[in-house]
Amino acid sequence: MKYLLMIILWSVSINNSFQPSIIGVWVNEKDPKLTWEFNASGQLIEKYGEVLKASPRTPSTYQILNHSQRCNDGTTDVPNQMYLKIADAELGSFCYYLETLSEEVLVLIDSDTGRMLIFNKVI
């Protein structure tokens, strides 16, 4: 029981440790017009140039999940794998494998298509 509690606390601390790193504005490396802004309240504001991809009244939400939290039916329970789940009221939810998250770079792999997205942090 003691070990189970330690594992749960460890997974929660890992999940929370990614949260501050993702907060900010990220620019897509291949298409600099595409920006994602993650805020501390769990909202994602997507822009293409100056055009919002979602209504400011209903921005997308995001969650960083660990391997024990299912992102969607397309993901597998891979030990130590982290996920980024993005939910949009109109479009549904999207799941990405969180490959790299540092203070400078965010690398995601779309769990449905396998397409890699690389973002660089600007703010």
Side-chain angles (χ1 to χ4, degrees), residues 43-79:
Q43 294 180 328
L44 167 63
I45 299 167
E46 298 179 71
K47 288 184 182 179
Y48 192 78
E50 294 301 315
V51 178
L52 287 173
K53 292 182 80 178
S55 167
R57 289 172 287 164
T58 58
S60 300
T61 59
Y62 73 92
Q63 290 178 289
I64 296 176
L65 307 172
N66 64 34
H67 71 280
S68 65
Q69 299 167 304
R70 300 291 299 212
C71 197
N72 65 24
D73 291 336
T75 60
T76 57
D77 189 15
V78 177

Side-chain angles (χ1 to χ4, degrees), residues 24-28 32 35-36 103-105 119-123:
V25 177
W26 299 84
V27 175
N28 186 280
T35 61
W36 287 5
E103 291 297 324
E104 299 89 24
V105 178
F119 290 87
N120 296 302
K121 194 171 194 177
V122 294
I123 297 176

Side-chain angles (χ1 to χ4, degrees), residues 6 17-18 31 37 45 47-48 54 64 66 72 75 80 86 88 103 105 108 110-111 123:
M6 287 173 45
S17 69
F18 282 101
D31 187 354
E37 180 180 348
I45 299 167
K47 288 184 182 179
Y48 192 78
I64 296 176
N66 64 34
N72 65 24
T75 60
N80 301 321
I86 297 173
D88 181 277
E103 291 297 324
V105 178
L108 305 169
D110 187 310
S111 67
I123 297 176

